Amino acid sequence: MTGTSLAHAWFLTFMESVKEHEASTLLRDAAIQGRLQKWTEALTAVVIASCEAHGWKGAARGHRSTLLPVARQEYLSLDVVAFDLAGERCWRSPHAVFELENSQDDDRVAYSLWKVLCVRSRLRVVFCYRRDREEGGRLVRDLSKSILSEMAIGERAGLGGETLLVTGCQNEAETFPYGFFKEWVLDLNTGRFSRT
């Protein structure tokens, strides 16, 4: 992933938002304590802030959007959907979509990845939470095998946009946010996630 990619630029903004946002302390404490519902609530606020920093309008539970003709907190049953504010279109496609999966069940994380891959968007991001780095790495490898390797090369190439998997590891929370959050980018050619 190049330094100018949308995914990389968004992740850097996200990390800055984590450091500065009022929900950061709650997010860090929830990560250390494994309080996953609180982790998701705080993470939602930080993701919305990172979208706003990019000039996007985000919609999520507790963050209502009126950008489309139908005002909603959640669109397409996705945790966060962000729209580019440029242009006058009423029914615009999402610019970025996010799933904030706090389940320890690998199939739930796989479902979240599958769900964002089904959406036409310039950026797709799935967050997941694991107890340690080894669990996170295994999950990333398993997701590549279970979802991406089953897609034909043409199907993967046709996804367009960029896809990130962001793992948060509880045993790395003391070095929050840099040790805690790890970004994995999807290579559409190989069908694998790799660290940047």
Side-chain angles (χ1 to χ4, degrees), residues 109-134:
V109 179
Y111 171 69
S112 290
L113 176 60
W114 173 82
K115 188 161 59 165
V116 300
L117 289 173
C118 289
V119 177
R120 184 180 55 205
S121 180
R122 289 191 58 211
L123 177 63
R124 297 173 206 85
V125 180
V126 174
F127 284 87
C128 58
Y129 179 94
R130 290 294 178 264
R131 287 182 181 77
D132 59 52
R133 182 181 294 181
E134 290 74 31

PDB file of all heavy atoms in Angstrom, residues 109-134:
ATOM      1  N   VAL A 109     -16.726 -12.347  12.492  1.00  0.00           N
ATOM      2  CA  VAL A 109     -15.789 -11.432  11.841  1.00  0.00           C
ATOM      3  C   VAL A 109     -15.788 -11.698  10.335  1.00  0.00           C
ATOM      4  O   VAL A 109     -15.804 -10.766   9.530  1.00  0.00           O
ATOM      5  CB  VAL A 109     -14.364 -11.564  12.425  1.00  0.00           C
ATOM      6  CG1 VAL A 109     -13.399 -10.621  11.711  1.00  0.00           C
ATOM      7  CG2 VAL A 109     -14.372 -11.283  13.923  1.00  0.00           C
ATOM      8  N   ALA A 110     -15.810 -12.971   9.949  1.00  0.00           N
ATOM      9  CA  ALA A 110     -15.868 -13.316   8.528  1.00  0.00           C
ATOM     10  C   ALA A 110     -17.129 -12.750   7.888  1.00  0.00           C
ATOM     11  O   ALA A 110     -17.095 -12.230   6.766  1.00  0.00           O
ATOM     12  CB  ALA A 110     -15.813 -14.834   8.356  1.00  0.00           C
ATOM     13  N   TYR A 111     -18.246 -12.829   8.596  1.00  0.00           N
ATOM     14  CA  TYR A 111     -19.492 -12.264   8.087  1.00  0.00           C
ATOM     15  C   TYR A 111     -19.351 -10.756   7.883  1.00  0.00           C
ATOM     16  O   TYR A 111     -19.787 -10.205   6.871  1.00  0.00           O
ATOM     17  CB  TYR A 111     -20.652 -12.557   9.051  1.00  0.00           C
ATOM     18  CG  TYR A 111     -21.921 -11.824   8.694  1.00  0.00           C
ATOM     19  CD1 TYR A 111     -22.632 -12.152   7.546  1.00  0.00           C
ATOM     20  CD2 TYR A 111     -22.392 -10.789   9.492  1.00  0.00           C
ATOM     21  CE1 TYR A 111     -23.791 -11.463   7.210  1.00  0.00           C
ATOM     22  CE2 TYR A 111     -23.541 -10.107   9.163  1.00  0.00           C
ATOM     23  CZ  TYR A 111     -24.243 -10.444   8.020  1.00  0.00           C
ATOM     24  OH  TYR A 111     -25.381  -9.760   7.679  1.00  0.00           O
ATOM     25  N   SER A 112     -18.726 -10.067   8.818  1.00  0.00           N
ATOM     26  CA  SER A 112     -18.525  -8.620   8.683  1.00  0.00           C
ATOM     27  C   SER A 112     -17.657  -8.294   7.473  1.00  0.00           C
ATOM     28  O   SER A 112     -17.941  -7.341   6.735  1.00  0.00           O
ATOM     29  CB  SER A 112     -17.889  -8.049   9.950  1.00  0.00           C
ATOM     30  OG  SER A 112     -18.797  -8.083  11.019  1.00  0.00           O
ATOM     31  N   LEU A 113     -16.620  -9.082   7.253  1.00  0.00           N
ATOM     32  CA  LEU A 113     -15.772  -8.875   6.080  1.00  0.00           C
ATOM     33  C   LEU A 113     -16.567  -9.135   4.806  1.00  0.00           C
ATOM     34  O   LEU A 113     -16.532  -8.340   3.860  1.00  0.00           O
ATOM     35  CB  LEU A 113     -14.530  -9.766   6.137  1.00  0.00           C
ATOM     36  CG  LEU A 113     -13.621  -9.688   4.910  1.00  0.00           C
ATOM     37  CD1 LEU A 113     -13.094  -8.277   4.688  1.00  0.00           C
ATOM     38  CD2 LEU A 113     -12.463 -10.689   5.061  1.00  0.00           C
ATOM     39  N   TRP A 114     -17.276 -10.249   4.765  1.00  0.00           N
ATOM     40  CA  TRP A 114     -18.097 -10.570   3.594  1.00  0.00           C
ATOM     41  C   TRP A 114     -19.089  -9.441   3.314  1.00  0.00           C
ATOM     42  O   TRP A 114     -19.295  -9.032   2.179  1.00  0.00           O
ATOM     43  CB  TRP A 114     -18.826 -11.897   3.828  1.00  0.00           C
ATOM     44  CG  TRP A 114     -19.808 -12.228   2.767  1.00  0.00           C
ATOM     45  CD1 TRP A 114     -19.551 -12.806   1.553  1.00  0.00           C
ATOM     46  CD2 TRP A 114     -21.222 -11.990   2.806  1.00  0.00           C
ATOM     47  NE1 TRP A 114     -20.716 -12.936   0.845  1.00  0.00           N
ATOM     48  CE2 TRP A 114     -21.752 -12.448   1.590  1.00  0.00           C
ATOM     49  CE3 TRP A 114     -22.069 -11.436   3.764  1.00  0.00           C
ATOM     50  CZ2 TRP A 114     -23.106 -12.374   1.302  1.00  0.00           C
ATOM     51  CZ3 TRP A 114     -23.424 -11.356   3.478  1.00  0.00           C
ATOM     52  CH2 TRP A 114     -23.928 -11.819   2.261  1.00  0.00           C
ATOM     53  N   LYS A 115     -19.693  -8.922   4.370  1.00  0.00           N
ATOM     54  CA  LYS A 115     -20.700  -7.867   4.229  1.00  0.00           C
ATOM     55  C   LYS A 115     -20.101  -6.616   3.580  1.00  0.00           C
ATOM     56  O   LYS A 115     -20.682  -6.079   2.641  1.00  0.00           O
ATOM     57  CB  LYS A 115     -21.300  -7.545   5.600  1.00  0.00           C
ATOM     58  CG  LYS A 115     -22.465  -6.608   5.540  1.00  0.00           C
ATOM     59  CD  LYS A 115     -23.348  -6.611   6.780  1.00  0.00           C
ATOM     60  CE  LYS A 115     -22.743  -6.264   8.065  1.00  0.00           C
ATOM     61  NZ  LYS A 115     -23.731  -5.950   9.123  1.00  0.00           N
ATOM     62  N   VAL A 116     -18.944  -6.150   4.054  1.00  0.00           N
ATOM     63  CA  VAL A 116     -18.368  -4.944   3.454  1.00  0.00           C
ATOM     64  C   VAL A 116     -17.875  -5.197   2.038  1.00  0.00           C
ATOM     65  O   VAL A 116     -17.903  -4.294   1.201  1.00  0.00           O
ATOM     66  CB  VAL A 116     -17.261  -4.292   4.327  1.00  0.00           C
ATOM     67  CG1 VAL A 116     -17.802  -3.879   5.688  1.00  0.00           C
ATOM     68  CG2 VAL A 116     -16.033  -5.149   4.444  1.00  0.00           C
ATOM     69  N   LEU A 117     -17.439  -6.425   1.764  1.00  0.00           N
ATOM     70  CA  LEU A 117     -16.999  -6.746   0.402  1.00  0.00           C
ATOM     71  C   LEU A 117     -18.159  -6.727  -0.596  1.00  0.00           C
ATOM     72  O   LEU A 117     -17.946  -6.568  -1.792  1.00  0.00           O
ATOM     73  CB  LEU A 117     -16.299  -8.111   0.360  1.00  0.00           C
ATOM     74  CG  LEU A 117     -14.928  -8.165   1.026  1.00  0.00           C
ATOM     75  CD1 LEU A 117     -14.424  -9.606   1.069  1.00  0.00           C
ATOM     76  CD2 LEU A 117     -13.926  -7.255   0.327  1.00  0.00           C
ATOM     77  N   CYS A 118     -19.376  -6.867  -0.104  1.00  0.00           N
ATOM     78  CA  CYS A 118     -20.556  -6.837  -0.977  1.00  0.00           C
ATOM     79  C   CYS A 118     -20.996  -5.415  -1.321  1.00  0.00           C
ATOM     80  O   CYS A 118     -21.889  -5.233  -2.138  1.00  0.00           O
ATOM     81  CB  CYS A 118     -21.724  -7.569  -0.304  1.00  0.00           C
ATOM     82  SG  CYS A 118     -21.512  -9.353  -0.235  1.00  0.00           S
ATOM     83  N   VAL A 119     -20.365  -4.419  -0.723  1.00  0.00           N
ATOM     84  CA  VAL A 119     -20.770  -3.025  -0.922  1.00  0.00           C
ATOM     85  C   VAL A 119     -19.788  -2.326  -1.859  1.00  0.00           C
ATOM     86  O   VAL A 119     -18.574  -2.418  -1.665  1.00  0.00           O
ATOM     87  CB  VAL A 119     -20.836  -2.280   0.433  1.00  0.00           C
ATOM     88  CG1 VAL A 119     -21.196  -0.813   0.229  1.00  0.00           C
ATOM     89  CG2 VAL A 119     -21.827  -2.951   1.357  1.00  0.00           C
ATOM     90  N   ARG A 120     -20.335  -1.618  -2.837  1.00  0.00           N
ATOM     91  CA  ARG A 120     -19.497  -0.817  -3.730  1.00  0.00           C
ATOM     92  C   ARG A 120     -19.083   0.444  -2.981  1.00  0.00           C
ATOM     93  O   ARG A 120     -19.920   1.280  -2.625  1.00  0.00           O
ATOM     94  CB  ARG A 120     -20.291  -0.458  -4.984  1.00  0.00           C
ATOM     95  CG  ARG A 120     -19.478   0.298  -6.020  1.00  0.00           C
ATOM     96  CD  ARG A 120     -20.302   0.623  -7.219  1.00  0.00           C
ATOM     97  NE  ARG A 120     -21.505   1.348  -6.780  1.00  0.00           N
ATOM     98  CZ  ARG A 120     -22.633   1.362  -7.458  1.00  0.00           C
ATOM     99  NH1 ARG A 120     -22.757   0.682  -8.559  1.00  0.00           N
ATOM    100  NH2 ARG A 120     -23.668   2.041  -7.003  1.00  0.00           N
ATOM    101  N   SER A 121     -17.795   0.563  -2.714  1.00  0.00           N
ATOM    102  CA  SER A 121     -17.280   1.666  -1.924  1.00  0.00           C
ATOM    103  C   SER A 121     -15.799   1.844  -2.218  1.00  0.00           C
ATOM    104  O   SER A 121     -15.112   0.876  -2.555  1.00  0.00           O
ATOM    105  CB  SER A 121     -17.500   1.366  -0.443  1.00  0.00           C
ATOM    106  OG  SER A 121     -17.018   2.388   0.363  1.00  0.00           O
ATOM    107  N   ARG A 122     -15.297   3.052  -2.038  1.00  0.00           N
ATOM    108  CA  ARG A 122     -13.864   3.285  -2.256  1.00  0.00           C
ATOM    109  C   ARG A 122     -13.017   2.718  -1.120  1.00  0.00           C
ATOM    110  O   ARG A 122     -11.858   2.376  -1.320  1.00  0.00           O
ATOM    111  CB  ARG A 122     -13.586   4.775  -2.400  1.00  0.00           C
ATOM    112  CG  ARG A 122     -14.133   5.319  -3.722  1.00  0.00           C
ATOM    113  CD  ARG A 122     -13.655   6.713  -4.033  1.00  0.00           C
ATOM    114  NE  ARG A 122     -12.209   6.753  -4.091  1.00  0.00           N
ATOM    115  CZ  ARG A 122     -11.485   7.813  -3.751  1.00  0.00           C
ATOM    116  NH1 ARG A 122     -12.062   8.913  -3.336  1.00  0.00           N
ATOM    117  NH2 ARG A 122     -10.171   7.786  -3.828  1.00  0.00           N
ATOM    118  N   LEU A 123     -13.604   2.633   0.080  1.00  0.00           N
ATOM    119  CA  LEU A 123     -12.863   2.125   1.237  1.00  0.00           C
ATOM    120  C   LEU A 123     -13.783   1.244   2.067  1.00  0.00           C
ATOM    121  O   LEU A 123     -14.905   1.621   2.368  1.00  0.00           O
ATOM    122  CB  LEU A 123     -12.348   3.289   2.094  1.00  0.00           C
ATOM    123  CG  LEU A 123     -11.621   2.922   3.390  1.00  0.00           C
ATOM    124  CD1 LEU A 123     -10.345   2.135   3.093  1.00  0.00           C
ATOM    125  CD2 LEU A 123     -11.308   4.183   4.204  1.00  0.00           C
ATOM    126  N   ARG A 124     -13.275   0.060   2.421  1.00  0.00           N
ATOM    127  CA  ARG A 124     -13.995  -0.873   3.293  1.00  0.00           C
ATOM    128  C   ARG A 124     -13.070  -1.205   4.459  1.00  0.00           C
ATOM    129  O   ARG A 124     -11.902  -1.544   4.246  1.00  0.00           O
ATOM    130  CB  ARG A 124     -14.319  -2.166   2.552  1.00  0.00           C
ATOM    131  CG  ARG A 124     -15.230  -2.001   1.388  1.00  0.00           C
ATOM    132  CD  ARG A 124     -15.329  -3.350   0.630  1.00  0.00           C
ATOM    133  NE  ARG A 124     -15.667  -3.124  -0.742  1.00  0.00           N
ATOM    134  CZ  ARG A 124     -14.800  -2.853  -1.718  1.00  0.00           C
ATOM    135  NH1 ARG A 124     -13.516  -2.806  -1.472  1.00  0.00           N
ATOM    136  NH2 ARG A 124     -15.222  -2.649  -2.942  1.00  0.00           N
ATOM    137  N   VAL A 125     -13.613  -1.122   5.685  1.00  0.00           N
ATOM    138  CA  VAL A 125     -12.789  -1.383   6.863  1.00  0.00           C
ATOM    139  C   VAL A 125     -13.568  -2.272   7.824  1.00  0.00           C
ATOM    140  O   VAL A 125     -14.738  -2.020   8.095  1.00  0.00           O
ATOM    141  CB  VAL A 125     -12.402  -0.066   7.585  1.00  0.00           C
ATOM    142  CG1 VAL A 125     -11.534  -0.354   8.806  1.00  0.00           C
ATOM    143  CG2 VAL A 125     -11.700   0.897   6.631  1.00  0.00           C
ATOM    144  N   VAL A 126     -12.895  -3.308   8.312  1.00  0.00           N
ATOM    145  CA  VAL A 126     -13.458  -4.156   9.363  1.00  0.00           C
ATOM    146  C   VAL A 126     -12.512  -4.089  10.550  1.00  0.00           C
ATOM    147  O   VAL A 126     -11.317  -4.343  10.422  1.00  0.00           O
ATOM    148  CB  VAL A 126     -13.620  -5.623   8.899  1.00  0.00           C
ATOM    149  CG1 VAL A 126     -14.059  -6.507  10.064  1.00  0.00           C
ATOM    150  CG2 VAL A 126     -14.605  -5.717   7.743  1.00  0.00           C
ATOM    151  N   PHE A 127     -13.068  -3.725  11.707  1.00  0.00           N
ATOM    152  CA  PHE A 127     -12.330  -3.758  12.971  1.00  0.00           C
ATOM    153  C   PHE A 127     -12.668  -5.054  13.681  1.00  0.00           C
ATOM    154  O   PHE A 127     -13.816  -5.504  13.648  1.00  0.00           O
ATOM    155  CB  PHE A 127     -12.756  -2.604  13.886  1.00  0.00           C
ATOM    156  CG  PHE A 127     -12.197  -1.274  13.509  1.00  0.00           C
ATOM    157  CD1 PHE A 127     -12.850  -0.470  12.590  1.00  0.00           C
ATOM    158  CD2 PHE A 127     -11.028  -0.817  14.091  1.00  0.00           C
ATOM    159  CE1 PHE A 127     -12.350   0.765  12.249  1.00  0.00           C
ATOM    160  CE2 PHE A 127     -10.519   0.424  13.761  1.00  0.00           C
ATOM    161  CZ  PHE A 127     -11.176   1.224  12.831  1.00  0.00           C
ATOM    162  N   CYS A 128     -11.694  -5.637  14.336  1.00  0.00           N
ATOM    163  CA  CYS A 128     -11.965  -6.793  15.189  1.00  0.00           C
ATOM    164  C   CYS A 128     -11.050  -6.731  16.408  1.00  0.00           C
ATOM    165  O   CYS A 128     -10.020  -6.063  16.399  1.00  0.00           O
ATOM    166  CB  CYS A 128     -11.801  -8.107  14.429  1.00  0.00           C
ATOM    167  SG  CYS A 128     -10.188  -8.354  13.702  1.00  0.00           S
ATOM    168  N   TYR A 129     -11.449  -7.431  17.448  1.00  0.00           N
ATOM    169  CA  TYR A 129     -10.778  -7.385  18.746  1.00  0.00           C
ATOM    170  C   TYR A 129     -10.375  -8.798  19.130  1.00  0.00           C
ATOM    171  O   TYR A 129     -11.193  -9.712  19.092  1.00  0.00           O
ATOM    172  CB  TYR A 129     -11.765  -6.807  19.769  1.00  0.00           C
ATOM    173  CG  TYR A 129     -11.243  -6.715  21.176  1.00  0.00           C
ATOM    174  CD1 TYR A 129     -10.670  -5.542  21.630  1.00  0.00           C
ATOM    175  CD2 TYR A 129     -11.357  -7.785  22.055  1.00  0.00           C
ATOM    176  CE1 TYR A 129     -10.213  -5.430  22.938  1.00  0.00           C
ATOM    177  CE2 TYR A 129     -10.906  -7.687  23.363  1.00  0.00           C
ATOM    178  CZ  TYR A 129     -10.334  -6.505  23.791  1.00  0.00           C
ATOM    179  OH  TYR A 129      -9.886  -6.402  25.079  1.00  0.00           O
ATOM    180  N   ARG A 130      -9.119  -8.978  19.478  1.00  0.00           N
ATOM    181  CA  ARG A 130      -8.630 -10.276  19.934  1.00  0.00           C
ATOM    182  C   ARG A 130      -7.785 -10.084  21.176  1.00  0.00           C
ATOM    183  O   ARG A 130      -7.307  -8.993  21.457  1.00  0.00           O
ATOM    184  CB  ARG A 130      -7.814 -10.972  18.835  1.00  0.00           C
ATOM    185  CG  ARG A 130      -8.669 -11.452  17.657  1.00  0.00           C
ATOM    186  CD  ARG A 130      -9.599 -12.536  18.131  1.00  0.00           C
ATOM    187  NE  ARG A 130     -10.505 -13.068  17.139  1.00  0.00           N
ATOM    188  CZ  ARG A 130     -11.769 -12.677  16.965  1.00  0.00           C
ATOM    189  NH1 ARG A 130     -12.259 -11.701  17.675  1.00  0.00           N
ATOM    190  NH2 ARG A 130     -12.543 -13.253  16.080  1.00  0.00           N
ATOM    191  N   ARG A 131      -7.582 -11.156  21.913  1.00  0.00           N
ATOM    192  CA  ARG A 131      -6.832 -11.064  23.174  1.00  0.00           C
ATOM    193  C   ARG A 131      -5.342 -10.830  22.961  1.00  0.00           C
ATOM    194  O   ARG A 131      -4.707 -10.132  23.723  1.00  0.00           O
ATOM    195  CB  ARG A 131      -7.047 -12.332  24.000  1.00  0.00           C
ATOM    196  CG  ARG A 131      -8.419 -12.391  24.610  1.00  0.00           C
ATOM    197  CD  ARG A 131      -8.602 -13.631  25.474  1.00  0.00           C
ATOM    198  NE  ARG A 131      -9.929 -13.686  26.029  1.00  0.00           N
ATOM    199  CZ  ARG A 131     -11.017 -14.051  25.364  1.00  0.00           C
ATOM    200  NH1 ARG A 131     -10.921 -14.382  24.097  1.00  0.00           N
ATOM    201  NH2 ARG A 131     -12.193 -14.081  25.941  1.00  0.00           N
ATOM    202  N   ASP A 132      -4.767 -11.449  21.930  1.00  0.00           N
ATOM    203  CA  ASP A 132      -3.336 -11.252  21.711  1.00  0.00           C
ATOM    204  C   ASP A 132      -3.019 -11.231  20.219  1.00  0.00           C
ATOM    205  O   ASP A 132      -3.848 -11.547  19.380  1.00  0.00           O
ATOM    206  CB  ASP A 132      -2.505 -12.314  22.438  1.00  0.00           C
ATOM    207  CG  ASP A 132      -2.823 -13.733  22.007  1.00  0.00           C
ATOM    208  OD1 ASP A 132      -2.802 -14.004  20.800  1.00  0.00           O
ATOM    209  OD2 ASP A 132      -3.094 -14.564  22.895  1.00  0.00           O
ATOM    210  N   ARG A 133      -1.789 -10.829  19.931  1.00  0.00           N
ATOM    211  CA  ARG A 133      -1.332 -10.650  18.551  1.00  0.00           C
ATOM    212  C   ARG A 133      -1.400 -11.960  17.760  1.00  0.00           C
ATOM    213  O   ARG A 133      -1.734 -11.967  16.587  1.00  0.00           O
ATOM    214  CB  ARG A 133       0.092 -10.120  18.551  1.00  0.00           C
ATOM    215  CG  ARG A 133       0.614  -9.856  17.156  1.00  0.00           C
ATOM    216  CD  ARG A 133       2.016  -9.358  17.170  1.00  0.00           C
ATOM    217  NE  ARG A 133       2.035  -8.048  17.803  1.00  0.00           N
ATOM    218  CZ  ARG A 133       3.124  -7.329  17.944  1.00  0.00           C
ATOM    219  NH1 ARG A 133       4.274  -7.793  17.542  1.00  0.00           N
ATOM    220  NH2 ARG A 133       3.077  -6.154  18.515  1.00  0.00           N
ATOM    221  N   GLU A 134      -1.085 -13.087  18.407  1.00  0.00           N
ATOM    222  CA  GLU A 134      -1.113 -14.374  17.709  1.00  0.00           C
ATOM    223  C   GLU A 134      -2.531 -14.709  17.243  1.00  0.00           C
ATOM    224  O   GLU A 134      -2.733 -15.196  16.132  1.00  0.00           O
ATOM    225  CB  GLU A 134      -0.557 -15.493  18.596  1.00  0.00           C
ATOM    226  CG  GLU A 134       0.942 -15.409  18.847  1.00  0.00           C
ATOM    227  CD  GLU A 134       1.325 -14.304  19.831  1.00  0.00           C
ATOM    228  OE1 GLU A 134       0.522 -13.986  20.736  1.00  0.00           O
ATOM    229  OE2 GLU A 134       2.421 -13.739  19.676  1.00  0.00           O
TER     230      GLU A 134
END
